[in-house]
Amino acid sequence: MKLTSRPLTSDLWPALEDLFGESAVCSRCWCMYGRIGSSYRKRPGEENKAAFRQAVEHGPPPGVLAFDGATAVGWCQVTPRDAVPWLDRLWQLKRVDDAPVWSLSCLYVRKKYRRQGITSHLIAAALQAARRANAPALEAYPFDAGVSPSASGSGHASTFARAGFRVVARRVPARPIMRYDFQKNADDGV
């Protein structure tokens, strides 16, 4: 498998539709949870899809797609944290400080491609996107599988730790806020 990644732009919308089409969860949410909260569940999936498509068309790209050849095999939403305002309404995920961080708030990997390093590839692509945008840091909100075996659309803490992320807050045991601080990691040689 030869993985590549590309920012999600309008021309790649059909690839995202194909990727999300096989998932009952993704085809309902369309990465709207961080934008509008649980009210995405009260709207038809098509309405969420249309709203997310508008976000893609208006830009900047709201995330990164991973490809195996021409097939989209994974997705991560990576945006300025301000683009996912619902996170601040959740006490567990409220901002740690006033730094204008970027946020990796959602991950999805096509079923037959799971456990093959796609998540790590997407995290690396998200770091690259945030670095290119001159973000001071990239945050993530994974589950700590050592504390809770929950399946997660936000990844697992151990995967982010291997990529150089550090826990900056833990308001509940199973859900740390992890951050990759570009300056600090550069100073530490990470």
Side-chain angles (χ1 to χ4, degrees):
M1 175 171 50
K2 181 169 172 19
L3 290 176
T4 58
S5 58
R6 294 178 56 193
L8 176 60
T9 52
S10 295
D11 60 312
L12 294 178
W13 183 258
L16 184 72
E17 282 183 307
D18 178 63
L19 177 65
F20 281 8
E22 73 172 29
S23 165
V25 174
C26 290
S27 66
R28 181 96 178 109
C29 180
W30 285 93
C31 269
M32 293 302 293
Y33 179 76
R35 296 165 188 275
I36 64 171
S38 60
S39 64
Y40 85 87
R41 291 184 185 110
K42 297 174 185 149
R43 299 179 354 168
E46 287 300 315
E47 191 174 330
N48 291 325
K49 179 180 177 179
F52 193 63
R53 186 166 189 168
Q54 286 293 313
V56 172
E57 288 174 0
H58 288 108
V64 177
L65 282 168
F67 290 88
D68 179 15
T71 304
V73 298
W75 157 256
C76 75
Q77 181 166 242
V78 58
T79 61
R81 183 168 167 126
D82 290 343
V84 284
W86 192 260
L87 296 179
D88 283 326
R89 298 181 90 185
L90 302 169
W91 65 270
Q92 308 94 318
L93 302 179
K94 278 192 184 284
R95 291 177 189 267
V96 173
D97 53 34
D98 291 332
V101 300
W102 274 45
S103 184
L104 193 164
S105 55
C106 181
L107 286 160
Y108 177 73
V109 175
R110 192 180 290 265
K111 273 188 181 177
K112 72 179 192 174
Y113 283 86
R114 292 180 185 164
R115 298 191 174 279
Q116 296 181 46
I118 309 294
T119 297
S120 294
H121 175 85
L122 286 165
I123 292 169
L127 283 166
Q128 190 175 51
R131 184 179 285 119
R132 276 196 307 261
N134 293 317
L138 178 62
E139 276 188 354
Y141 319 98
F143 276 91
D144 187 333
V147 177
S148 171
S150 295
S152 173
S154 55
H156 288 105
S158 59
T159 308
F160 284 93
R162 283 192 300 275
F165 285 71
R166 296 180 176 105
V167 174
V168 292
R170 189 184 291 260
R171 297 177 180 122
V172 292
R175 194 88 190 257
I177 295 175
M178 298 183 76
R179 187 179 281 183
Y180 187 103
D181 182 302
F182 290 106
Q183 184 61 51
K184 188 175 203 167
N185 284 23
D187 292 346
D188 293 345
V190 177

